[in-house]
Amino acid sequence: MRLWLVRHGETGSNADGVFQGHLDVELNERGVRQAEAVGERLRDVRFDAVFASDLQRAAKTAECIVEDRYPIVLDPDLREMHYGVLQGIGYNDAASVLEPHGLSVSWASGDIHRGRQSLPGGESLRQFRSRSARFVLRLDNAYRQHHDTDILIVAHGGKLAVLLTVLLGLPAKSRYLFRFANCGITRLTRSETNTTLDLHNLVVWETSGLTNDHGLSGQLPQRAE
């Protein structure tokens, strides 16, 4: 099966540098246009299933991509990590918010990023990765034995990075190797014995007149008929 992973389009919180986590933030106008550009590029792919996080920024992105051609399954296991006290907080304010919890040093040292400590009121890296593994298990049970199957998965940057570590059999700390731009496209081919990364973080929405801040563009590999 071929897995097409797409991060949701831009939100106001993305643009403002704010932690979103489980906050149900909607796409901004730019994000909608990014998603529509992905939909145009993937129009010729015949999806056998479409999954999306149930948070509206991912669900709306999936709707823009597939329009009314395919049903969308909303799955809470595809939500972003819950960032606890940092949800709704600007990136630059994280250390000061964590200081009353005695975690400003752990934040600055990277211990929290590495999953050695959890954010107050938030989700541990182990819990976050377990949600990803649970989703992959359901996916494998339903589709891995099938041939010539295309599946679209629309979620969040942190979620997709952890999902990739599960799919590729890598440790959770490897998630920082994978960056996802808003509406960046990643594709994997997964058989019963092997998983290969075909392309990663392909940004196509500059062709719709949007500025591409990530310097990524190119052609998608063609589906073998």
Side-chain angles (χ1 to χ4, degrees), residues 157-209:
K159 165 55 62 175
L160 293 177
V162 169
L163 194 65
L164 271 183
T165 68
V166 175
L167 289 165
L168 296 172
L170 298 172
K173 65 182 180 181
S174 299
R175 68 194 186 280
Y176 289 118
L177 297 173
F178 306 108
R179 178 187 180 191
F180 287 85
N182 288 117
C183 278
I185 302 169
T186 293
R187 198 187 81 174
L188 302 95
T189 300
R190 186 165 174 85
S191 69
E192 294 186 65
T193 58
N194 192 39
T195 300
T196 58
L197 183 60
D198 303 325
L199 64 92
H200 176 55
N201 199 29
L202 177 67
V203 177
V204 300
W205 36 259
E206 77 278 7
T207 59
S208 292

Side-chain angles (χ1 to χ4, degrees), residues 134-153:
R134 189 164 59 210
F135 174 78
V136 170
L137 180 61
R138 292 199 303 271
L139 199 67
D140 282 346
N141 287 340
Y143 298 102
R144 196 172 187 179
Q145 71 276 18
H146 298 175
H147 298 286
D148 203 34
T149 300
D150 287 275
I151 298 170
L152 175 64
I153 300 169

